[in-house]
Each structure stands twice: as C-alpha cells, then as structure tokens.
Amino acid sequence: DVKVTQSSRYLVKRTGEKVFLECVQDMDHENMFWYRQDPGLGLRLIYFSYDVKMKEKGDIPEGYSVSREKKERFSLILESASTNQTSMYLCASSFGSSSNQPQHFGDGTRLSIL
Amino acid sequence: GENVEQHPSTLSVQEGDSAVIKCTYSDSASNYFPWYKQELGKGPQLIIDIRSNVGEKKDQRIAVTLNKTAKHFSLHITETQPEDSAVYFCAASSSDKLIFGTGTRLQVFP
C-alpha cells in the first residue's frame, strides 16, 4: 500500500513565523501535491511537483513556497505565517506524468496560526 | 479553467437506503473522474474512479456513472451502512491537475 506521511498532525505557530510542513511518500511516485482544506471550499491546490527540483503553482500559491530536493519528500513553506493560513493541509502523491492517475493522500496537518 | 460543482452538501439517509451524490464539471477535455471518501481525522481515500471512455463502473455497493454530453457524474451507494458515514469528494482532471468538488457530508442513521 502507498503510504504518504505528513510529519505533524497538529501544529500551532505564531504570526510572522516561518513554518515548514513535511511530506514523505514511499512508493517512488513522480508527482506530489499540497492542498489546503477549508469547510465549504473543498480541497484547493497550493503547489505541485512532477519531478525533483520541479515545482508548479496551483490555484492558491500566494504566501507559500515549496521544496523538492529528493523524489520522496515534498515540503510546504509558509514564509511569514498569517492567521488566514490557519487550515488543514493535505499532501498527496501519484504515479506518472499526468493528472489522470489516482492521488494518494496523507492524513493531514491541522495548522493553527495565532 | 475547470469548475466542479457538487451536490448536495449534506445528505442524511436511513441504514439500508441508497445515497446519490452528483457532480458537474465545465471542461469538456476532462477525462478522469475519481471519488474520495474522507473519514474523521483521516485524509481522503480513493474509493472508485471512472475514465471518459466508460459510462458506468461498479464495485460492490458503490457505482459511478458518467454522462459526458451533459458533463455530469454521480456516485451511487446502495444498502448504506453506518460506516459509510463520511465526507465524499468528487474530482475531475484538468490539464495537469485534479479539481475537487466542495464535498458532501453523508450521515447514515441506524
């Protein structure tokens, strides 16, 4: 079974802090994704990556950056955390080079910015 | 860009009844439509998916139908059980990403 592991289940940070969310997958998937999930808004794509050192902006990239130094690891960075970034963050991975493959999700990081 | 609308936002059914969740999409080039189930405290899990060359797919108590002309697809759960209670998301492929619906909270009452 594919396993996508997010390093923290719950995280509390202060406004202005630099925040790192880590995600690791163990299935040698090429593609990795970061979403945020908010009530009534579904899952919104922040950034994704199709290969090491590659990154593409999703629908809501403002205030975020990403890093993919190794194939199995995809990090989401909040450069200067703000209260409107309080949310559930979900990482996913998939095989192949297109969007036509199932995505496998981690269990999420619930981030609170105070 | 692609837009996916999902209805209803909440659905309550009696155990043993059927549940239907509907989604519409806007991009006629979309060709992959997965459905995810999210239980409390967990990430979304793929439960079934369909590609545009197929009109219907079944897996035990769940089925998905796709109408490409009308650009809508539906999830059908028969003989619902309390463990089917969760949030369900539809999604449609669009160029290099998936676009998700806003979710349906299904409650199955014993």
Side-chain angles (χ1 to χ4, degrees):
Chain A
D1 269 358
V2 176
K3 187 137 179 79
V4 178
T5 303
Q6 295 184 231
S7 54
S8 305
R9 292 301 303 274
Y10 301 94
L11 211 51
V12 179
K13 296 291 182 181
R14 296 210 171 271
T15 304
E17 279 192 72
K18 190 168 185 176
V19 181
F20 294 85
L21 302 184
E22 307 287 347
C23 175
V24 176
Q25 50 95 3
D26 66 358
M27 280 302 290
D28 202 34
H29 282 170
E30 289 82 3
N31 312 322
M32 296 190 76
F33 308 84
W34 274 106
Y35 295 88
R36 66 177 280 176
Q37 181 177 12
D38 300 288
L41 297 178
L43 279 66
R44 294 181 292 165
L45 183 62
I46 305 171
Y47 266 97
F48 58 104
S49 168
Y50 281 144
D51 204 349
V52 175
K53 297 199 186 291
M54 239 211 66
K55 60 184 178 183
E56 296 285 344
K57 290 181 180 179
D59 299 315
I60 52 165
E62 297 78 19
Y64 303 94
S65 63
V66 289
S67 172
R68 192 156 181 212
E69 296 296 318
K70 293 184 178 181
K71 191 175 185 180
E72 68 272 17
R73 185 180 296 272
F74 193 35
S75 303
L76 180 69
I77 304 155
L78 285 66
E79 296 291 343
S80 177
S82 64
T83 54
N84 62 11
Q85 291 178 309
T86 291
S87 187
M88 170 70 87
Y89 290 87
L90 291 164
C91 175
S93 71
S94 71
F95 173 73
S97 59
S98 75
S99 61
N100 296 344
Q101 298 295 327
Q103 292 185 16
H104 302 267
F105 285 85
D107 285 335
T109 296
R110 187 164 291 283
L111 175 64
S112 296
I113 307 296
L114 305 179
Chain B
E2 174 72 282
N3 182 47
V4 176
E5 293 192 1
Q6 182 172 348
H7 300 280
S9 56
T10 60
L11 181 59
S12 296
V13 299
Q14 203 74 35
E15 182 178 0
D17 287 350
S18 295
V20 180
I21 302 170
K22 299 182 179 181
C23 289
T24 60
Y25 63 98
S26 59
D27 185 353
S28 56
S30 294
N31 58 11
Y32 175 63
F33 306 91
W35 284 89
Y36 288 85
K37 176 184 181 183
Q38 186 176 27
E39 297 176 328
L40 200 61
K42 301 274 190 183
Q45 273 203 305
L46 180 75
I47 53 171
I48 195 168
D49 56 9
I50 191 168
R51 298 183 188 275
S52 58
N53 57 347
V54 175
E56 183 175 2
K57 185 176 177 181
K58 283 184 183 178
D59 183 3
Q60 299 182 341
R61 295 187 298 107
I62 60 173
V64 57
T65 58
L66 172 65
N67 183 327
K68 283 204 71 182
T69 305
K71 291 191 205 151
H72 66 71
F73 56 114
S74 301
L75 178 71
H76 304 253
I77 306 174
T78 58
E79 300 172 28
T80 53
Q81 300 167 4
E83 50 265 38
D84 294 329
S85 297
V87 179
Y88 292 80
F89 292 96
C90 64
S93 62
S94 178
S95 59
D96 51 6
K97 54 193 177 184
L98 287 177
I99 306 299
F100 286 82
T102 50
T104 296
R105 182 173 298 277
L106 173 65
Q107 289 184 301
V108 180
F109 292 99

